[in-house]
């Protein structure tokens, strides 16, 4: 991305092993993230940046220290690189690893993956082609939606409200269903996404937003609010809607906020709720998610509603920016 | 409190039973809360308000529906009235009870306690005089500090940092010790309170504040931050200090914030921490706290460093406002 709105596909030098813990992978597919739209729209700075942080592919080369993946393995990796051995990783917060780095430049044919042992997980074998989109989703959007649902303490007997019908919100619905939630309320106004929300497990749809949306959630929950709320939009309005929709003592999971969000302390205080947010520790969930995909128990790949060859990446960005596509898969 | 800074003691009409769920108690002691200083200082509105929300005393009369306390019982009650039967109460969040109300007018010889069954807990017998301050502390400041420590997931093997050396912070230290914390870091600059902090279980003292305070906590925790952080001040600076002192995936418990605190969403997001705050559900902890006091296993009453007859309440407010006293007990 040369500048906001200016995406170009060009030849770059092949990556090489720099550290003994590196791996080089040839990507099978990559994609465009909702968060890539922030620089695209000029909300975050960007200047000739190699884009992309979601990836699946085949290991082509490994550094001397790499032990858990080998050349030829098909691998999925988290959008946050982690050593997976430090105290924070062992507590399940690999996105806050002492050596954490954000993956970048993954919208490319090849990539260097630092901390390969702590970041990559090999699939049980070479995947069928139809599993590729789902495995790619696990790299960020599924892992992030899953974390949001876990952070909101989704589970049996719980009513879950999901604010946002983007790819992450839809994946949180999928996760809530897998985690056994009794009732899943999708907050969505978009007919196509409502359909997908129901496909993934939503039992109710709420179209209202802001205070009206909160009132509607209360109405549906005996005046109490939802046990578990996922915030998957990241604006001031959506965050406070999520706070208001959570019952006293309930749990709010959030997985992205805009730079201008300011949470009034007193409002959060009197809500009396648990919160957990942050970049998702996708690595914690990858082995389980890969297995669920491998067993065809879940189908997260359906969030990709446009597939383009990487040469047409610029059109992919435009389609997401104009909301003509929820999420764009790029092939080679 | 007629107006900010203007506290008067005057005769008022005796309270009477209004609802069958009411009890009338004769107070044995009451006290002044740190939060009473907000209206005293003009930070919150006040206009001829009957003050006080902490209380212990003897039941003088009960409504027809009251079943768990009887005339003559010595009782301790939470500063939040609750039915203790609704779904939110049963989940342990009595301060967000569907029928929750804040206690008021408890700086008085007698008081009406609505929802007596859900709010009051009788002691095992008539307490010795030396236990009165500790039982009174359970009504708010001990219960609040205890909740803060629980909200921060204090426990065996944990390093706990407590921001604030007021009565609530000191009680959170007591709680962290009782809950088995391995290391308890008190953030305090006040020599007398440092001494009390050590008495209650602090193993380390940090005098630095803000970013320096955070850096010091990191230094003491291998660069990671504390597992559990209690925020017991409630200013913008102290809140962000608490966020910064919590390790990734760690837990922050907070029990009061000023009206002007604004939490930058992006900072909370990248911290990647759990938070739980709100008015403490003291009722959840009361049976356990009363037993610990009864058994003389804890001595929370030591937070009262000034005792005055209620007629001198105005002097009590002045002493706390001028920080000559940490917490003032009022007797009859």
């Amino acid at each position: 991305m040369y500048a906001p709105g200016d995406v170009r596909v060009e030849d770059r030098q092949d990556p090489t092993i720099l550290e003994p813990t590196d791996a080089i992978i040839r990507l099978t597919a990559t994609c465009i993230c909702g968060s890539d739209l922030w620089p695209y729209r000029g909300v975050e700075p960007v200047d000739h940046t190699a884009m992309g942080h979601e990836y699946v592919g085949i290991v082509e080369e490994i550094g001397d220290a790499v032990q858990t993946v080998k050349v030829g393995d098909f691998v999925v990796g988290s959008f946050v690189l982690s050593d997976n051995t430090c105290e924070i990783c062992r507590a399940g917060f690999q996105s806050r690893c002492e050596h954490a780095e954000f993956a970048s430049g993954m919208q490319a044919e090849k990539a260097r993956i630092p901390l390969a042992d702590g970041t990559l997980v090999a699939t049980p074998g070479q995947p069928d082609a139809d599993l590729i989109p789902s495995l790619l989703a696990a790299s960020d959007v599924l892992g992030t939606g899953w974390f949001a649902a876990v952070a909101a303490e989704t589970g049996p007997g719980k009513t879950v409200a999901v604010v946002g019908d983007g790819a992450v919100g839809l994946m949180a619905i999928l996760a809530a269903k897998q985690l056994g939630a009794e009732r899943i309320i999708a907050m969505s106004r978009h007919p196509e996404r409502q359909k997908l929300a129901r496909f993934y497990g939503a039992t109710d749809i709420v179209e209202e937003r802001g205070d009206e949306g909160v009132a509607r959630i209360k109405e549906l929950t005996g005046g109490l609010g939802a046990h578990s709320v996922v915030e998957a939009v990241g604006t001031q309005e959506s965050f406070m809607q999520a706070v208001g929709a959570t019952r006293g003592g309930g749990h709010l999971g959030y997985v992205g906020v805009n730079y201008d969000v300011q949470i009034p302390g007193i409002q959060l205080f009197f809500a009396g709720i648990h919160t957990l947010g942050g970049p998702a520790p996708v690595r914690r969930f990858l082995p389980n998610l890969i297995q669920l995909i491998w067993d065809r128990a879940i189908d997260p790949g359906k969030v990709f509603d446009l597939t383009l060859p990487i040469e047409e990446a610029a059109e992919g960005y435009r389609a997401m920016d104009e909301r003509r596509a929820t999420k764009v898969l790029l092939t080679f």
Side-chain angles (χ1 to χ4, degrees), chain A:
Chain A
M1 192 178 292
Y2 274 55
D6 182 3
V7 173
R8 305 187 199 180
V9 180
E10 59 186 24
D11 285 326
R12 292 169 71 93
Q13 213 172 359
D14 274 351
T16 55
I17 298 283
L18 299 179
E19 301 283 339
T21 47
D22 288 351
I24 303 296
I25 65 166
R26 172 176 290 278
L27 282 87
T28 307
T30 183
C31 56
I32 303 172
C33 184
S35 68
D36 291 334
L37 296 181
W38 297 3
Y40 188 80
R41 290 170 176 165
V43 180
E44 267 183 28
V46 65
D47 179 17
H48 294 77
T49 305
M51 299 295 294
H53 53 261
E54 296 156 285
Y55 55 100
V56 291
I58 292 169
V59 178
E60 286 211 330
E61 198 184 342
I62 56 173
D64 290 342
V66 175
Q67 299 192 319
T68 63
V69 298
K70 57 183 192 306
V71 172
D73 279 354
F74 189 93
V75 292
V76 187
S78 165
F79 74 99
V80 185
L81 315 169
S82 59
D83 62 27
N84 210 28
T85 56
C86 76
E87 204 176 326
I88 303 293
C89 281
R90 279 181 283 132
F93 285 84
Q94 289 89 342
S95 44
R96 285 292 312 270
C97 169
E98 289 186 61
H99 300 107
E101 275 177 62
F102 286 95
S104 62
M106 299 291 162
Q107 288 163 9
E109 289 172 320
K110 287 191 179 192
R112 180 176 79 93
I113 312 291
L115 302 171
D117 276 333
T119 303
L120 300 174
V121 178
T123 55
Q126 296 300 318
D128 293 337
D130 67 312
L131 291 184
I132 301 293
S134 289
L135 291 167
L136 178 60
S139 182
D140 178 355
V141 72
L142 170 61
T144 294
W146 195 277
F147 171 62
V150 168
E153 299 250 325
T154 295
K158 299 283 187 76
T159 293
V160 183
V162 177
V163 181
D165 59 5
V168 171
L170 292 168
M171 294 297 92
I173 291 169
L174 176 158
K177 182 167 179 184
Q178 286 291 316
L179 293 163
E182 186 172 300
R183 192 175 186 186
I184 303 170
I185 306 168
M187 305 193 86
S188 166
R189 292 185 166 178
H190 189 296
E192 281 306 306
R193 297 188 183 186
Q194 289 179 1
K195 212 181 291 174
L196 212 44
R198 288 203 188 270
F199 169 79
Y200 281 128
T203 55
D204 301 79
I205 304 281
V206 165
E207 297 204 343
E208 291 86 349
R209 287 187 189 168
D211 290 345
E212 279 176 40
V214 168
R216 196 73 191 94
I217 296 288
K218 294 229 161 134
E219 224 176 280
L220 290 170
T221 55
L224 302 179
H227 299 95
S228 302
V229 177
V230 167
E231 204 294 296
V233 180
T235 63
Q236 183 76 28
E237 186 192 32
S238 64
F239 196 95
M240 297 319 295
Q241 180 178 319
V243 169
T246 312
R247 68 173 57 195
H251 290 78
L252 167 60
Y254 60 102
V255 284
V257 290
N258 291 347
Y259 278 80
D260 55 359
V261 171
Q262 293 284 341
I263 307 159
I266 200 78
Q267 221 168 315
L268 194 63
F269 176 74
F270 281 111
I273 62 174
H274 301 79
T275 75
L276 172 58
V282 171
R283 182 62 181 80
R284 188 206 310 178
F285 307 110
L286 270 184
N288 179 36
L289 298 180
I290 289 172
Q291 196 60 54
L292 288 170
I293 293 165
W294 205 259
D295 297 341
R296 298 177 191 273
I298 57 174
D299 187 7
K302 271 179 83 91
V303 289
F304 293 106
D305 51 2
L306 179 61
T307 299
L308 294 171
I310 193 146
E311 289 74 18
E312 293 173 35
E315 164 55 16
Y317 276 82
R318 268 195 302 276
M320 278 179 63
D321 180 42
E322 295 164 8
R323 289 178 72 91
R324 285 184 280 120
T326 304
K327 196 161 175 72
V328 175
L329 186 98
L330 300 173
T331 57
F332 301 97

